[in-house]
Amino acid sequence: MSSKQHWLDKPTNIKLLWRIFLAVLALTIIAEFFVPLKPHFAIEALPAFHAAYGFLACVAMILGAKAIGFFLKRPETYYKADDE
């Protein structure tokens, strides 16, 4: 097995990724001021609504996955019964 460290294990790369993600988010919010929007609902006309909505949707999916994992998890000895 190789002991080569994965590129995501380096803290400098994690910081770089966060900066890239935040820059893309900022560019998305700034682009909303230059692109004419045709909102169907009044709340969609708020600045940065789409970025906030996407973020909250991701948070909801992560929390939902954690909740499902809590109910579906098995004890660590679950497969030991098959080995014996």
Side-chain angles (χ1 to χ4, degrees):
M1 248 168 88
S2 174
S3 63
K4 185 178 176 185
Q5 191 177 28
H6 194 271
W7 68 276
L8 284 175
D9 292 334
K10 296 179 183 177
T12 54
N13 291 339
I14 299 297
K15 287 181 183 180
L16 177 64
L17 281 177
W18 271 107
R19 288 181 180 144
I20 291 170
F21 293 150
L22 290 175
V24 169
L25 177 62
L27 289 173
T28 304
I29 293 171
I30 291 169
E32 283 191 22
F33 293 108
F34 298 104
V35 176
L37 299 175
K38 297 176 185 172
H40 295 283
F41 303 101
I43 195 168
E44 290 181 66
L46 293 175
F49 167 77
H50 297 94
Y53 183 78
F55 175 76
L56 292 175
C58 287
V59 168
M61 287 190 293
I62 291 169
L63 292 176
K66 291 274 188 186
I68 290 171
F70 177 76
F71 291 109
L72 296 180
K73 70 180 175 185
R74 299 282 185 234
E76 290 183 22
T77 59
Y78 182 75
Y79 290 106
K80 284 189 179 179
D82 292 342
D83 293 339
E84 296 173 357

